[in-house]
Amino acid sequence: MAVHGRSGDLEAYLAADILFHRTLLEASGNEMLGALTGVVAEVLTGRTHHHLMPARPEPAAIRWHAEVAQAVQSGDAAAAERAMRNIVDEANRAMLGDVPDGDVPG
Protein backbone atom coordinates (compact mmCIF):
# COMPACT_ATOMS: atom_id res chain seq x y z
CA MET A 1 0.00 0.00 0.00
CA ALA A 2 2.79 2.40 0.88
CA VAL A 3 4.55 1.99 -2.46
CA HIS A 4 1.36 2.39 -4.50
CA GLY A 5 0.17 5.29 -2.36
CA ARG A 6 3.39 7.22 -2.83
CA SER A 7 3.38 6.59 -6.59
CA GLY A 8 -0.25 7.67 -6.93
CA ASP A 9 -1.27 4.37 -8.55
CA LEU A 10 -4.78 4.35 -7.11
CA GLU A 11 -5.84 1.09 -8.79
CA ALA A 12 -2.88 -0.81 -7.35
CA TYR A 13 -3.43 0.91 -4.00
CA LEU A 14 -7.09 -0.10 -4.12
CA ALA A 15 -6.20 -3.74 -4.81
CA ALA A 16 -3.76 -3.75 -1.87
CA ASP A 17 -6.31 -2.01 0.39
CA ILE A 18 -9.01 -4.55 -0.49
CA LEU A 19 -6.58 -7.41 0.18
CA PHE A 20 -5.62 -5.84 3.53
CA HIS A 21 -9.22 -5.57 4.71
CA ARG A 22 -10.21 -8.98 3.30
CA THR A 23 -7.30 -10.57 5.14
CA LEU A 24 -8.31 -8.93 8.42
CA LEU A 25 -11.97 -9.84 8.09
CA GLU A 26 -11.30 -13.44 7.12
CA ALA A 27 -8.58 -13.86 9.77
CA SER A 28 -11.01 -12.75 12.46
CA GLY A 29 -12.45 -16.26 12.51
CA ASN A 30 -15.90 -14.66 12.68
CA GLU A 31 -18.07 -15.91 9.82
CA MET A 32 -20.23 -12.77 9.83
CA LEU A 33 -17.21 -10.46 9.61
CA GLY A 34 -15.70 -12.64 6.90
CA ALA A 35 -18.91 -12.29 4.91
CA LEU A 36 -18.42 -8.50 4.83
CA THR A 37 -15.40 -8.73 2.53
CA GLY A 38 -17.48 -8.06 -0.59
CA VAL A 39 -19.22 -5.08 1.00
CA VAL A 40 -15.95 -3.56 2.15
CA ALA A 41 -14.42 -4.13 -1.29
CA GLU A 42 -17.37 -2.34 -2.92
CA VAL A 43 -17.10 0.62 -0.54
CA LEU A 44 -13.37 0.96 -1.18
CA THR A 45 -13.87 0.59 -4.92
CA GLY A 46 -16.67 3.14 -4.96
CA ARG A 47 -14.60 5.60 -2.97
CA THR A 48 -11.82 5.34 -5.53
CA HIS A 49 -13.91 5.24 -8.70
CA HIS A 50 -16.23 8.07 -7.62
CA HIS A 51 -13.29 10.36 -6.87
CA LEU A 52 -13.84 10.37 -3.11
CA MET A 53 -10.23 9.32 -2.66
CA PRO A 54 -7.39 11.88 -2.74
CA ALA A 55 -5.07 11.69 -5.76
CA ARG A 56 -2.44 10.38 -3.36
CA PRO A 57 -3.61 8.47 -0.29
CA GLU A 58 -3.16 10.22 3.04
CA PRO A 59 0.26 9.17 4.42
CA ALA A 60 -1.20 8.92 7.92
CA ALA A 61 -3.82 6.44 6.66
CA ILE A 62 -1.10 4.28 5.14
CA ARG A 63 0.76 4.38 8.45
CA TRP A 64 -2.40 3.42 10.35
CA HIS A 65 -2.87 0.36 8.13
CA ALA A 66 0.65 -0.72 9.07
CA GLU A 67 -0.14 -0.06 12.74
CA VAL A 68 -3.25 -2.25 12.50
CA ALA A 69 -1.22 -5.08 10.98
CA GLN A 70 1.52 -4.77 13.61
CA ALA A 71 -1.01 -4.62 16.44
CA VAL A 72 -2.85 -7.69 15.17
CA GLN A 73 0.41 -9.56 14.77
CA SER A 74 1.43 -8.71 18.34
CA GLY A 75 -2.03 -9.42 19.77
CA ASP A 76 -2.63 -5.81 20.88
CA ALA A 77 -6.38 -5.46 20.31
CA ALA A 78 -6.56 -1.95 21.78
CA ALA A 79 -3.85 -0.62 19.48
CA ALA A 80 -5.47 -2.32 16.47
CA GLU A 81 -8.81 -0.74 17.33
CA ARG A 82 -7.27 2.74 17.74
CA ALA A 83 -5.50 2.54 14.40
CA MET A 84 -8.59 1.18 12.63
CA ARG A 85 -10.75 3.94 14.11
CA ASN A 86 -8.23 6.47 12.75
CA ILE A 87 -8.55 4.88 9.30
CA VAL A 88 -12.34 5.05 9.40
CA ASP A 89 -12.33 8.64 10.71
CA GLU A 90 -9.93 9.76 7.97
CA ALA A 91 -12.03 8.06 5.27
CA ASN A 92 -15.18 9.74 6.57
CA ARG A 93 -13.52 13.13 6.60
CA ALA A 94 -12.10 12.63 3.12
CA MET A 95 -15.47 11.69 1.70
CA LEU A 96 -17.01 14.76 3.33
CA GLY A 97 -14.21 16.94 1.93
CA ASP A 98 -12.98 17.89 5.39
CA VAL A 99 -9.53 16.32 5.71
CA PRO A 100 -7.18 18.34 7.90
CA ASP A 101 -3.46 18.31 7.23
CA GLY A 102 -1.60 15.78 9.33
CA ASP A 103 -3.01 13.21 11.70
CA VAL A 104 -6.60 12.79 12.65
CA PRO A 105 -6.92 13.13 16.44
CA GLY A 106 -7.52 9.78 18.11
Side-chain angles (χ1 to χ4, degrees):
M1 288 180 70
V3 170
H4 301 307
R6 281 191 301 270
S7 74
D9 184 347
L10 290 183
E11 288 302 317
Y13 181 86
L14 172 62
D17 199 15
I18 290 171
L19 179 60
F20 173 84
H21 290 281
R22 179 185 320 135
T23 300
L24 281 179
L25 291 167
E26 291 176 356
S28 74
N30 181 316
E31 191 175 325
M32 283 182 67
L33 289 178
L36 292 174
T37 58
V39 173
V40 171
E42 285 299 316
V43 169
L44 295 170
T45 300
R47 181 180 179 206
T48 299
H49 293 167
H50 294 291
H51 310 290
L52 298 170
M53 181 79 182
R56 293 199 189 279
E58 178 65 41
I62 295 170
R63 186 179 72 247
W64 293 323
H65 281 77
E67 288 175 10
V68 169
Q70 291 167 353
V72 168
Q73 184 178 23
S74 67
D76 188 345
E81 180 182 355
R82 276 191 307 275
M84 188 57 77
R85 285 184 185 275
N86 285 334
I87 292 168
V88 171
D89 289 346
E90 184 275 332
N92 285 334
R93 284 186 174 91
M95 287 191 291
L96 294 172
D98 186 28
V99 180
D101 291 335
D103 293 354
V104 175

